[in-house]
Amino acid sequence: MADARILCYGEIDLDIYLALDRLPTRALSAWVSGEFENVGGAAANSALWLANWGLPIRLAGHDLGADGPGAAVLEVFARHPLLDARFVAEHPGYRTPRCQCLVLPDGERSFISHWLDDLRMTPVTETMLDGIDWINLDMSGPDEPRVQAARLASASGVSVLVNDIYRADHALLPFVDVLVMSAAVARSKAPAVDPLGLAAQLGAAGDCAVIVTDSSAPVTIFTDDGARSQIMPPAVDALDTTGAGDVFKAGLLYGLLSGLPLPEAARWGVAAGSVCCQYAGTTQTLAPLTEVRAMLGQC
């Protein structure tokens, strides 16, 4: 296997995809029109798409159980020779993390996470970072392992990409090179605060670049030198928006490793996330790089 230059670290699970006509309530049940299981979790989503595009990838983070769901996840990893999953630990008597993805007809989704109170993670080590240029972190779980990972990566000269930090005093922010944040999440956390103003504040506090995604609205890029630009996402018929942010980060990393400046690399992220929305289940179908290139022409 060629040497990996990206470590995806964080959430790994087995998703239960359910296509529903509505979210259930006390008065109305929901009808299921489609269901399947696929590997999920932010770190695994990004890693599988990148490996599918021909990039050697290293993956670690959430541990698996020595159970049926864990075996199903490892079987998928084994199909991808460019995916280095040797740091994904298994434990007898431990339950593999699960997540139910409830997808509505407009492509929007809700999640039900299983037994997170028993979550186990393998810490990032210097061996995991050997040869790595970028560590791709998610914030789906406890902060401390991610902070430790970012601190070690930064000290080792590895660039740090992370999503979903919304506080200038967050312990991870000083180690970040590129932050991706959702305007929708920012509005839910602080309705009175302008997401773009918050992004500028976070960029200044962390001395980092910030990218703000906003569904079908323009993506805004703040580079670390203060420049600002926007990308209009292409119009697509969204079947399932689950994992679109994870695949956005995969596209962004593909562009960065290709030597593109951040605004051009972000176009790869927009194209990749747009392609992902057209498929059900984030990793059930891994679109080839040719589809992303075609979408890139619309960004």
Side-chain angles (χ1 to χ4, degrees), residues 15 17-19 36 38 101-111 236-245 273-284:
D15 282 352
Y17 171 93
L18 296 171
F36 53 77
N38 66 183
C101 304
L102 312 179
V103 182
L104 301 181
D106 63 357
E108 289 302 317
R109 71 285 183 268
S110 300
F111 303 116
V236 298
D237 292 326
L239 180 62
D240 178 10
T241 59
T242 307
S274 298
V275 168
C276 174
C277 289
Q278 298 178 102
Y279 292 98
T282 309
T283 65
Q284 180 75 355

Side-chain angles (χ1 to χ4, degrees), residues 126-292:
E126 292 182 357
T127 301
M128 285 187 201
L129 294 172
D130 184 34
I132 295 297
D133 293 331
W134 281 91
I135 183 170
N136 172 25
L137 296 172
D138 64 72
M139 299 305 293
S140 303
D143 285 356
E144 187 53 34
R146 278 120 174 131
V147 174
Q148 293 176 359
R151 182 183 292 114
L152 180 58
S154 182
S156 302
V158 175
S159 298
V160 177
L161 168 64
V162 67
N163 59 285
D164 290 336
I165 292 177
Y166 300 96
R167 300 190 340 258
D169 64 348
H170 196 288
L172 199 150
L173 192 59
F175 309 108
V176 174
D177 293 281
V178 179
L179 167 64
V180 178
M181 56 174 279
S182 162
V185 175
R187 293 185 189 104
S188 71
K189 290 179 176 292
V193 177
D194 171 41
L196 297 185
L198 176 60
Q201 177 188 355
L202 293 171
D207 190 22
C208 62
V210 182
I211 300 174
V212 183
T213 64
D214 196 4
S215 186
S216 60
V219 172
T220 305
I221 301 102
F222 297 86
T223 54
D224 54 9
D225 62 1
R228 173 174 166 174
S229 60
Q230 290 189 319
I231 302 166
M232 188 65 194
V236 298
D237 292 326
L239 180 62
D240 178 10
T241 59
T242 307
D246 308 330
V247 179
F248 173 94
K249 291 171 72 184
L252 174 66
L253 285 166
Y254 188 91
L256 291 171
L257 256 66
S258 300
L260 297 176
L262 184 67
E264 287 300 306
R267 287 182 66 237
W268 278 90
V270 171
S274 298
V275 168
C276 174
C277 289
Q278 298 178 102
Y279 292 98
T282 309
T283 65
Q284 180 75 355
T285 302
L286 299 172
L289 197 59
T290 53
E291 287 192 28
V292 181

Side-chain angles (χ1 to χ4, degrees), residues 105-118:
D106 63 357
E108 289 302 317
R109 71 285 183 268
S110 300
F111 303 116
I112 301 174
S113 297
H114 294 210
W115 37 81
L116 291 183
D117 56 340
D118 191 33

